[in-house]
Amino acid sequence: LASDLVILMAAAAVEELGLTDLTVDLGLPTLVPSILADFALDAEASSRLRTALDRKDMVDVGDMAPVIGDATAALLSTLVAATGPAEESLAALMQAPLPPAAAAERAALAAVFEGVRAGAPELSLSIDPVENRGFEYHTGVTFTLFARNVRGELGWGGRYFAGSGDGGGEPATGVTLFMDSVLRAMPAQKRSPRLFLPAGTSVDEGRRLREAGWITIGGLEPTSQPEAEAARLRCSHVFVNGDVRAL
């Protein structure tokens, strides 16, 4: 699937769970490497520059001019400054004097932005053109999903190459949702109650309860106090003798 379709799918999925005020931060971890392709940076210089970009430290980026040249240092500082709301960021990126390979990466980012904006006009979008942390193996546009007043990311994903053992493969876009953050952010009325199933509960019984809408937490060892174990595991109900009981 194209990256914009995956982003729209991920946003729609969490919205269906009741989450609102979503923001998608678009990234392009291949942009900086394409700009620096002609520089043979040693490990120390590469690490220093990467740290400066991750920290959005334009002073430190500027201090790298003796290594990467004044023009490249100025260009990277421009990219750092372009981080922000998507429309303004993309406008600044379009004015940046990128080399041909980097310009092609920028065009891919613009296409993803346009696809997401067309599919979800109200979705808040931002762009960080120098973000790289966590996206080291990605080969194109990446994205991170946030919700207002929710700590941490709801999920992230991006373009990568799905290879196979025989050397074949194809480009792909993946997404991972962090369910601890998603569940924490869900409104209470959208959360299924947690039901403790003591060890020994049949597979068929567990399936039936999940189909009825319960989140089931299975016990690993027999216990003579299933209610206490259910409370320890933060369940709201316990399954005892074929019945669901509220704690």
Side-chain angles (χ1 to χ4, degrees), residues 51-59 80 83 128 130-131 133:
T51 299
L53 292 171
D54 287 342
R55 294 177 178 174
K56 309 298 185 286
D57 187 341
M58 287 191 286
V59 172
V80 171
T83 300
D128 185 342
V130 301
E131 180 61 65
R133 291 169 293 182

Side-chain angles (χ1 to χ4, degrees), residues 32-235:
V32 170
S34 67
I35 293 172
L36 299 175
D38 294 333
F39 293 92
L41 299 182
D42 60 29
E44 181 180 355
S46 180
S47 177
R48 178 185 174 189
L49 181 57
R50 186 70 263 167
T51 299
L53 292 171
D54 287 342
R55 294 177 178 174
K56 309 298 185 286
D57 187 341
M58 287 191 286
V59 172
D60 208 11
V61 172
D63 288 344
M64 296 290 294
V67 180
I68 60 177
D70 292 337
T72 301
L75 175 57
L76 294 180
S77 294
T78 297
L79 298 183
V80 171
T83 300
E87 283 78 5
E88 292 86 343
S89 177
L90 194 57
L93 289 176
M94 288 301 181
Q95 298 299 316
L98 298 180
E105 300 287 352
R106 175 179 60 191
L109 174 64
V112 171
F113 163 78
E114 291 168 2
V116 174
R117 179 56 74 228
E122 302 304 318
L123 184 63
S124 177
L125 297 174
S126 60
I127 292 176
D128 185 342
V130 301
E131 180 61 65
N132 183 69
R133 291 169 293 182
F135 295 113
E136 288 80 1
Y137 71 90
H138 286 81
T139 60
V141 176
T142 60
F143 57 93
T144 308
L145 188 63
F146 299 93
R148 187 187 302 275
N149 299 322
V150 178
R151 184 179 73 256
E153 303 96 341
L154 298 178
W156 64 9
R159 200 72 170 163
Y160 68 102
F161 186 79
S164 62
D166 60 4
E170 59 182 349
T173 301
V175 59
T176 299
L177 294 180
F178 305 133
M179 294 311 299
D180 53 345
S181 296
V182 172
L183 290 172
R184 187 170 61 245
M186 284 175 58
Q189 63 269 27
K190 282 282 187 175
R191 299 175 192 163
S192 297
R194 289 162 58 98
L195 173 63
F196 176 67
L197 303 182
T201 302
S202 72
V203 172
D204 288 342
E205 197 73 87
R207 182 184 299 112
R208 179 184 67 79
L209 291 164
R210 285 187 292 275
E211 289 175 349
W214 294 96
I215 294 175
T216 60
I217 309 298
L220 300 180
E221 297 179 352
T223 176
S224 60
Q225 297 180 312
E227 291 84 358
E229 184 66 2
R232 186 184 72 82
L233 294 172
R234 300 180 181 178
C235 295

